[in-house]
Structures are given as C-alpha cells and as structure tokens.
Amino acid sequence: MTHTTHTPTAGVGKESPAARTVRRAATRRSRPPGRGPLSRVTPWLFLLAPLVLLITFTYVPVANMVYYSFTDWDGVSPEIHLVGAGNYSELFTRPELFRVFFVSFYYLAASVVQIVVALYFATVLSFNLRLRNLFKGILFFPYLINGVAIGFVFLYFFQDGGTLDSVLSWFGTGSDHAWLGDPTSANVSLAGVSVWRFTGLNFVLFLGAIQSIPGELYEAAQLDGATRWHQFRYLIVPSIRPVISLSVILAVSGSLSVFEIPYIMTGGATGTTTFVIQTVKLAFQFNKTGLASAAAVVLLLIVLLVTWIQRRLVPDGKADLV
Amino acid sequence: MSTDVDGRRPRGIASALIYLSLVLASLVVLVPLSVVFLTSLKTSKEMTEGGGAFRLPGDWLNWSNYATAFNDGHMLSAFGNTAFILLFSITGTVIIGSMTAYAIDRFTFCGRKLVMGLFLVATLVPGVTTQVATFQVVNSFGLFDTRWAPILLYMGTDIVSIYIFLQFIRSIPVSLDEAARLDGANALTIYWRIIFPLLKPAIATVVIIKGITVYNDFYIPFLYMPSEGMGTISTALFRFKGPFGAHWEAISAGAILVIVPTLVVFLFLQRYIYNGFARGATK
C-alpha cells in the first residue's frame, strides 16, 4: 500500500522525558514481562468481547449456513431433514435459479467502466487545475449518498418523461423508450446507476495513491523526456498497482453481490434479479432456507476463489498484518 | 506542494479537453440530483400537467412536500432510530476495534496468530452472503425487530476498523507503555489513559467511515427491523414507494431530506472524509 505505509506520528511528540529515556534504552520492541498467570490472561480480557462478536456473527453463521445447505429446512419448523447434496443439484439444474449469475456480467462490465473513468479523473485531477477541489468534491459525493435516495433519484431519471427523456428531447431524440421495460436495457440502466454511485470511491483511492508518489520521480521522468502518457503508463500505473488490484477484487465480489439498487428500483422485475435478491427472496419470502443457504455457499465459494486467484496473481504487501 | 503531478497546469487543447471532461462528469453527477430537487418543490398539479422534468416550480418556497414527507413518512422517528443506532454502533466499534488492536499488537501470547487469522479470514466473507444464517442467530437471541440487532451486527462484523487501529497502534512507541508500567500502571490503565487518547486520528477515520456506512445502510435494517416504528432513514424512505406511489413530488422531498445531512457533513469534513476513505478502504 504505497500511501498507507508512511505511519502517522502525530502522538509521538507528546511523549514524556521519562518515556524518551526508556526508549533510548530499549533498542528493539520488547514485550511486557510475564508476571504470573494474571499477565497471561490479560490479552484475552481485551479480546473477549471482540472474539465473542466475531464468532457469533461471522463463524457461527458460516458454519450453520453450510449445515442448512444440506437440509430442507424452511427456517421456522422444528424439524430439519438432511437431504444431502439435493439443494446444490437443484441450484445447478434449474436454469431459472442459475440464470441470476448472468446478471452479474452487466455489473462486471460496469465496474470496468468505473475503474477506467476513475483512473482518468484521478490522473487528471492530480494536475494543478483550477477548481480542483470543487471537481473532486462533485465526483466523490455520489458515493456518500444513501442508496435508497439514489434508487429514487434514478427511478425518476429513467421514468417516462423523466430526466433522461427530457435531456434526450433537447437533442431532438424524442424517445418513448421504457428504460426499465426490457431486461437488457433495464440491466444496462441499473449497471449505469452503479457506475454513477461507485466511481467516486475508486477515484478517491486512486487519487490518494497518485499523490503519494514522490514529486522527484516526475521531475526525473521529465528530464528523461517522458511524455504525459509515458508518465502515466510507466510511473503512475505501476506505483498504484496495489490499489488498482484492490479495486478489481472489490469490483468482482461487488458485482456478484449486488442488492440495493436493483431491489429498490425494480424489485428484481424484468430480468434484473441478482443473486442476493434471489437468495433473500428464497429465504425470507418462500421460506426455503436450505436452498437459499446452498445458493449463499456457492456465492461465498466463488468470492473466495476470486480473492485467492487475485492474491496469486498480484502478490502485494497485504500479508504483513501480524 | 509535492502533491501535484509536476506542479504545472496542462496547457492548450489538452487543457480544454480536460476541463470539458470534468464539466461533463459534473453535469452527470449534478443533473439527476438537481432535477429531484426541482421536483420536490412542485405541487401535485404541476406534476400532472407535465412539461418535462426540467420545468421550474411555480413557487420556489413551496415546502409542503417536505412537510408531507417528514410527517407522513415518519421521518422523525426514522432519524431518531438512525441516531440511536449510529451512537451505539460507532462507540462499540471504536472500543472493540481499539481493544483488539491493543491486545494483538502489544502482547505476545499463545494463540495470537490464530486470533489474527480469524479476523483476517473473516474479511473474506462478504456479509450479504451469510445473512440467511445470521438471521437465525439474531432471531435466537430474541433481537429480531429491535434496534440492537443492527447495532450488534455493525459492531461485530467490522474488521476494517480493527485494521485501521492496528496500523496506527504500531506507530505508537512501546516505550510509552513501558514507562507507564514502571510507574505501576496495569494493562487497562495503559490502554485507556495512554493508547486510547493517542489513537485520536484513527478514531476520527473510523467514526467517519462507520458513520457513513451505518447512515446509508439499507440491507441490515431492511432484514432485521421490518416493523413500521423501527424504520431507519433508509427503510423509512424505501416505504415511500407504497403510500406515495407515483407522487414524485413527495418521494423527491423525502430523498432530499435524507441527502441533505450527508451534504452538510461532507462540506464541513471534506478533507477528513477523503483521507479516511483513502486510508480505510485500503485497509
């Protein structure tokens, strides 16, 4: 992480003279000395609440989910029957259940657009432009807006006689196209909304990374006669590779787990049902907890697979957590 | 400033094209929002008359849609619920995140690697996938349809903030702890009196990121607090779809009511928000 490795040192100046003496004495980080059984328990006292929450709300659900996925449970009845791999075979043999995966491709395509657009504006706005902060604010703001509000803004945008139709009529393209009326145009419209919403986040991440590249590098590049394109290609892109790769992984898992915008805007009608909408409907409307769990397990496995592939392809310094 | 790419402005045609693209992008962002604002000021008569989305409202001070949205949409209780959830989940996240980071960074103990691994692996599990089973857990505690369900979920599943604290706590010299220990302070005192106050910048980052996430979240309140009186601003706004149907002037007013607090916070905290996201999202 190029721009996160410089560690904030705000608090260091405040240390007392005594502390400074001690620090000089301690040549390397030493751990507190063991003082009987009490000191061995101390870290666990701090970790008790976090671990309980982590296990209760992440690991127990994951384990339960895997278990439910092999049952025919409806989520309410006290009786649970094991059905083996039945849910999984149902999932993969009923085309209407599997079809929702293809909706993800619209969002995947949208994330490509999103990353390219964000990269362009991040590069451009790292120049010293007039009104730079204003443009920065405008481009980032959509990311902060409430998803439901965005859903309504764009429902009106795509309405008959709504914003989009009005804009088009200025250019003489009087259209009576129902934007959310057929599956292809509905999915393209919704994916467009997600570009509108999330470009700002990628933009700010890229901008932060670009600005942490030391200025001397540009000077050196210019002395060597590098054009702007060369600077972008050989200096900026390699320097912010970790952030780009993070954005790609977020884009893939995000595209697979789209929920809010299509649920709010179309409720999953006209072929816009995504994987999560379907899972929520299976589990909470049709009480098919077993089948929904199997679906969720499949999604989880795909996300884990993608993450694993990404980490193999782009090894970065992310493993230095301990 | 070393932050500029070579510190110069691009010139000539390139510069014109760059500005053009920036203006276009700004229009793409601003036009849909402004139209909704215009719509929120129109009367229902103006709406049925048509005349296109860009027709200006007859009366710029027509706030009646806002009153309708606020009262009939139960926005007051929605803002109250959201504030309650924000307060508790942010406080909890800050305390839990900083405690975890303190324990992991400052102690060597058997099982430390395992604990770290548990938090690390949990980042790979997207929250949306496990809700079918999480729901059963929440339900078995009798927390379904209470404000405590989202609070616990936001607190318990926030790994990002733990990483932010962990990154930051490493930059605080261990010698500070040791000096305090020589003065007879125990681990809790060190955490509370020395580490926690020094974590301020990290706390600001976590508060901002968490605050925006919680304020805007739809999925969790939608699943866990379905009853009318339990709405957060997201779910309360979502319910506009029913009673207000095609009354776009009321729906628009509701949407603007929800967006305005975000805009105000953004304008005041701009710089911290950018930094928070740049630091938080990359870990």
Side-chain angles (χ1 to χ4, degrees), chain A residues 1 3-4 7-8 11-12 15 19 22-23 26 29-32 35 42-44 46-47 50-51 53-54 56-62 64-65 68 73 75 120-121 124-130 132-133 135-149 152-157 159 161-163 166-167 170 196 201 204-205 210-211 218 222 228 231 246 257 259-260 263-265 276 279-280 283-284 289 292-293 296 299-300 303-304 307 320-322, chain B residues 3-10 18-19 21-22 25-26 28-33 35-36 39 47 52-54 96 99-100 102-103 105-110 112-113 115-116 118-122 124-126 128-130 132-138 141 152-153 155-157 159 163 166-168 170-171 173-176 178-179 181 187-188 191 198 212 215-216 218-219 222-223 233-234 237-238 241 248 251 255 258-259 262-263 266 273-274 277-278 281-283:
Chain A
M1 302 289 95
H3 64 299
T4 50
T7 43
V12 181
E15 62 187 286
V22 174
R23 191 164 59 143
R29 309 183 64 164
S30 56
R31 300 285 164 187
R35 272 186 293 171
T42 318
W44 296 104
F46 285 95
L47 287 171
L51 278 179
L53 284 169
L54 179 74
T56 319
F57 294 110
T58 302
Y59 287 99
V60 170
V62 170
N64 280 349
M65 188 171 79
Y68 296 153
W73 196 36
Y120 166 76
F121 283 113
V124 157
L125 282 172
S126 60
F127 299 137
N128 182 17
L129 294 175
R130 259 175 243 280
R132 185 165 82 166
N133 286 329
F135 286 125
K136 231 170 107 173
I138 292 174
L139 291 179
F140 181 57
F141 186 61
Y143 179 70
L144 302 177
I145 304 179
N146 186 285
V148 183
F152 285 154
V153 166
F154 279 93
L155 264 182
Y156 191 65
F157 184 85
Q159 265 238 325
T163 318
S166 302
V167 171
W170 294 346
W196 189 88
L201 177 64
V204 161
L205 296 184
I210 291 177
Q211 296 192 336
Y218 292 107
Q222 271 184 338
R228 290 233 183 261
Q231 290 179 20
L246 178 82
S257 46
F259 172 73
E260 273 190 20
Y263 190 84
I264 291 157
M265 290 181 63
V276 178
T279 311
V280 166
F284 301 107
T289 302
S293 300
L299 177 59
L300 181 58
V303 171
L304 291 179
T307 315
D320 66 340
L321 287 164
V322 181
Chain B
T3 51
D4 301 328
V5 171
D6 78 33
R8 283 184 306 138
R9 294 198 167 121
I18 286 174
Y19 281 110
S21 67
L22 284 168
S26 305
V28 169
V29 170
L30 295 179
V31 165
L33 295 173
V35 166
V36 166
T39 308
M47 287 303 289
F54 287 94
I96 283 180
M99 284 201 316
T100 313
Y102 174 69
D105 188 63
R106 292 298 208 246
F107 293 91
T108 17
F109 54 96
C110 159
R112 180 165 161 267
K113 280 240 152 77
V115 170
M116 206 49 231
L118 282 177
F119 280 106
L120 185 71
V121 172
L124 303 177
V125 180
V128 284
T129 60
T130 52
V132 178
T134 309
F135 184 85
Q136 303 299 335
V137 174
V138 171
F141 292 144
L152 279 178
L153 287 171
M155 266 174 15
T157 55
I159 318 291
Y163 286 141
L166 204 55
Q167 285 285 309
F168 199 90
R170 282 189 191 145
S171 68
V174 183
S175 53
L176 282 186
E178 282 157 1
R181 198 177 296 278
L188 187 65
Y191 161 73
L198 287 178
I212 288 165
Y215 181 83
N216 288 337
F218 170 69
Y219 192 59
F222 170 74
L223 283 184
I233 56 138
S234 291
L237 185 61
F238 183 64
K241 250 192 149 172
W248 278 107
I251 293 181
V258 168
I259 295 175
T262 315
L263 182 62
F266 177 60
I273 292 179
Y274 293 134
F277 275 94
T282 53
K283 198 169 56 192

Side-chain angles (χ1 to χ4, degrees), chain B:
Chain B
M1 292 276 287
S2 67
T3 51
D4 301 328
V5 171
D6 78 33
R8 283 184 306 138
R9 294 198 167 121
R11 267 168 256 167
I13 299 177
S15 142
L17 285 177
I18 286 174
Y19 281 110
L20 185 69
S21 67
L22 284 168
V23 170
L24 271 179
S26 305
L27 284 177
V28 169
V29 170
L30 295 179
V31 165
L33 295 173
S34 338
V35 166
V36 166
F37 177 65
L38 287 182
T39 308
S40 74
L41 294 174
K42 292 178 183 172
T43 62
S44 56
K45 189 156 161 284
E46 281 175 297
M47 287 303 289
T48 46
E49 278 169 2
F54 287 94
R55 212 179 69 160
L56 301 178
D59 176 9
W60 283 93
L61 295 174
N62 170 31
W63 300 109
S64 62
N65 296 320
Y66 286 88
T68 314
F70 195 80
N71 297 325
D72 299 359
H74 308 291
M75 294 300 267
L76 188 63
S77 89
F79 275 109
N81 284 334
T82 303
F84 184 89
I85 293 172
L86 271 174
L87 180 72
F88 282 94
S89 55
I90 290 181
T91 313
T93 304
V94 166
I95 291 175
I96 283 180
S98 55
M99 284 201 316
T100 313
Y102 174 69
I104 290 178
D105 188 63
R106 292 298 208 246
F107 293 91
T108 17
F109 54 96
C110 159
R112 180 165 161 267
K113 280 240 152 77
L114 175 75
V115 170
M116 206 49 231
L118 282 177
F119 280 106
L120 185 71
V121 172
T123 51
L124 303 177
V125 180
V128 284
T129 60
T130 52
Q131 293 307 323
V132 178
T134 309
F135 184 85
Q136 303 299 335
V137 174
V138 171
N139 207 9
S140 69
F141 292 144
L143 291 173
F144 176 65
D145 216 13
T146 69
R147 286 176 293 196
W148 297 105
I151 289 174
L152 279 178
L153 287 171
Y154 292 139
M155 266 174 15
T157 55
D158 190 22
I159 318 291
V160 174
S161 72
I162 293 178
Y163 286 141
I164 295 175
F165 283 123
L166 204 55
Q167 285 285 309
F168 199 90
I169 219 165
R170 282 189 191 145
S171 68
I172 301 175
V174 183
S175 53
L176 282 186
D177 304 29
E178 282 157 1
R181 198 177 296 278
L182 289 180
D183 291 341
N186 62 21
L188 187 65
T189 319
I190 294 174
Y191 161 73
W192 187 243
R193 305 288 290 276
I194 295 180
I195 302 290
F196 196 76
L198 287 178
L199 282 176
K200 261 180 210 145
I203 293 173
T205 302
V206 169
V207 167
I208 284 172
I209 295 184
K210 195 72 189 169
I212 288 165
T213 317
V214 170
Y215 181 83
N216 288 337
D217 188 38
F218 170 69
Y219 192 59
I220 286 180
F222 170 74
L223 283 184
Y224 293 95
M225 309 197 310
S227 74
E228 185 99 8
M230 279 288 140
T232 64
I233 56 138
S234 291
T235 47
L237 185 61
F238 183 64
R239 289 190 192 116
F240 276 43
K241 250 192 149 172
F244 296 112
H247 285 279
W248 278 107
E249 66 281 8
I251 293 181
S252 302
I256 297 290
L257 274 179
V258 168
I259 295 175
V260 163
T262 315
L263 182 62
V264 171
V265 171
F266 177 60
L267 290 179
F268 279 105
L269 299 178
Q270 262 197 66
R271 177 198 309 219
Y272 303 97
I273 292 179
Y274 293 134
N275 292 342
F277 275 94
R279 198 187 301 164
T282 53
K283 198 169 56 192

Side-chain angles (χ1 to χ4, degrees), chain A residues 194-239:
Chain A
S194 95
V195 174
W196 189 88
R197 186 180 181 193
F198 292 112
T199 300
L201 177 64
N202 285 333
F203 161 71
V204 161
L205 296 184
F206 294 155
L207 193 67
I210 291 177
Q211 296 192 336
S212 72
I213 303 173
E216 304 93 75
L217 289 183
Y218 292 107
E219 283 162 26
Q222 271 184 338
L223 286 180
D224 290 345
T227 62
R228 290 233 183 261
W229 168 250
H230 286 142
Q231 290 179 20
F232 175 75
R233 175 71 190 78
Y234 298 107
L235 180 55
I236 295 181
V237 170
S239 307

Side-chain angles (χ1 to χ4, degrees), chain A residues 18-291:
Chain A
R20 234 174 279 138
T21 323
V22 174
R23 191 164 59 143
R24 238 176 274 132
T27 43
R28 58 186 184 84
R29 309 183 64 164
S30 56
R31 300 285 164 187
R35 272 186 293 171
L38 188 68
S39 76
R40 204 174 291 171
V41 191
T42 318
W44 296 104
L45 292 178
F46 285 95
L47 287 171
L48 189 65
L51 278 179
V52 166
L53 284 169
L54 179 74
I55 290 167
T56 319
F57 294 110
T58 302
Y59 287 99
V60 170
V62 170
N64 280 349
M65 188 171 79
V66 175
Y67 165 63
Y68 296 153
S69 74
F70 294 107
T71 70
D72 65 351
W73 196 36
D74 61 2
V76 239
S77 83
E79 277 180 57
I80 301 184
H81 303 285
L82 281 169
V83 293
N87 289 320
Y88 290 95
S89 63
E90 192 177 348
L91 204 62
F92 286 105
T93 49
R94 274 171 58 186
E96 75 272 22
L97 288 180
F98 199 69
R99 204 181 44 206
V100 290
F101 271 114
F102 297 108
V103 175
S104 304
F105 287 109
Y106 289 98
Y107 294 93
L108 213 51
S111 2
V112 174
V113 176
Q114 183 182 311
I115 289 176
V116 170
V117 169
L119 201 52
Y120 166 76
F121 283 113
T123 310
V124 157
L125 282 172
S126 60
F127 299 137
N128 182 17
L129 294 175
R130 259 175 243 280
L131 299 176
R132 185 165 82 166
N133 286 329
L134 178 72
F135 286 125
K136 231 170 107 173
I138 292 174
L139 291 179
F140 181 57
F141 186 61
Y143 179 70
L144 302 177
I145 304 179
N146 186 285
V148 183
I150 293 181
F152 285 154
V153 166
F154 279 93
L155 264 182
Y156 191 65
F157 184 85
F158 290 118
Q159 265 238 325
D160 279 341
T163 318
L164 187 53
D165 285 350
S166 302
V167 171
L168 288 177
S169 72
W170 294 346
F171 297 100
T173 348
S175 87
D176 48 359
H177 186 76
W179 296 101
L180 302 173
D182 73 89
T184 308
S185 96
N187 277 316
V188 171
S189 305
L190 295 178
V193 176
S194 95
V195 174
W196 189 88
R197 186 180 181 193
F198 292 112
T199 300
L201 177 64
N202 285 333
F203 161 71
V204 161
L205 296 184
F206 294 155
L207 193 67
I210 291 177
Q211 296 192 336
S212 72
I213 303 173
E216 304 93 75
L217 289 183
Y218 292 107
E219 283 162 26
Q222 271 184 338
L223 286 180
D224 290 345
T227 62
R228 290 233 183 261
W229 168 250
H230 286 142
Q231 290 179 20
F232 175 75
R233 175 71 190 78
Y234 298 107
L235 180 55
I236 295 181
V237 170
S239 307
I240 67 170
R241 244 229 332 258
V243 188
I244 296 180
S245 114
L246 178 82
S247 302
V248 170
I249 180 86
L250 287 179
V252 176
S253 62
S255 308
L256 289 164
S257 46
V258 177
F259 172 73
E260 273 190 20
I261 291 297
Y263 190 84
I264 291 157
M265 290 181 63
T266 62
T270 53
T272 57
T273 303
T274 64
F275 199 84
V276 178
I277 294 182
Q278 175 175 279
T279 311
V280 166
K281 282 189 172 166
L282 282 176
F284 301 107
Q285 281 176 22
F286 305 119
N287 288 334
K288 287 183 182 281
T289 302
L291 188 59

